[in-house]
Amino acid sequence: MASSDHARSTRRGQTRAIVVTIAGIALIVFASVASAGLLPSRERLVVVGDSLSTGLGTSAAASWPVLLERAEESGPEKLEVVNAAENGSGYVTPGDDGDTFGAEVMQFVNEDTKVVLFFGSDNDLGSTPAQITDAATTAFQAARAKAAPDARLIVVGPPAYTIPPDGDLVSIRDALRTAADRSGAAFVDPITEVWIAEHTDELIGPDGEHPTAAGHERLAQLMENVLER
């Protein structure tokens, strides 16, 4: 009996050794493949914005950043979307938690961030174009400094809900374009591209400000197009 027990114990020890060896080889192979860039990567995208991006009026789970991440899951470079948007915030104007777009950058953008996407904001109505340009330039430069060296900065101006657009909203758009040009960021103009104004009944909720579920779906499609440009 003792000899039989010893044989079984030896076989169990050998089996464990083989399993450990195989697991070690698997880890080495996995690390080698990952370092060679052969595994699907997750590109970290930080959304800096206001209540148009938080899901206010619908739900956070139905917001366009969530839908964008879901739509990109099957792509070669899957997105990890970090939603830094805060209700009421702008480049100059603090939001509900006291943060401007620049503060959102400081809190959420890091060296792993490959894309910083700014969206908005009509919350800066009442600020001068110079104030908006200066605050936006500071935010863009901070994002450039904190993000990965090859990160992309994309600035999407505020959308208009009427044709012709409100003049003060156009002033915000122009101030942001100036700041984007100064900072080497790509600028996208929802006013000229008429993202919303022709379909407000469907895309904007009863409060006249925030997207419906259909509105968030539309924004997710538009932002996906922006990323592909």
Side-chain angles (χ1 to χ4, degrees), residues 41-52:
S41 59
R42 286 181 65 81
E43 188 173 81
R44 190 174 194 267
L45 182 154
V46 174
V47 175
V48 176
D50 56 21
S51 57
L52 297 186

Side-chain angles (χ1 to χ4, degrees), residues 136-178:
T137 300
T138 299
F140 302 157
Q141 291 175 346
R144 185 76 71 191
K146 289 178 64 66
D150 59 343
R152 291 187 291 158
L153 266 59
I154 302 172
V155 180
V156 181
Y161 297 168
T162 60
I163 300 176
D166 178 86
D168 290 335
L169 203 59
V170 171
S171 294
I172 293 176
R173 186 269 316 270
D174 293 344
L176 294 178
R177 190 196 302 274
T178 299

Side-chain angles (χ1 to χ4, degrees), residues 95-133:
D96 290 356
D97 294 327
D99 298 316
T100 61
F101 281 17
E104 293 173 25
V105 167
M106 298 306 293
Q107 291 179 51
F108 290 94
V109 176
N110 60 26
E111 66 275 5
D112 295 323
T113 304
K114 293 298 186 68
V115 183
V116 185
L117 197 162
F118 296 83
F119 182 33
S121 168
D122 63 2
N123 291 317
D124 284 329
L125 287 169
S127 300
T128 67
Q131 288 175 320
I132 296 169
T133 295

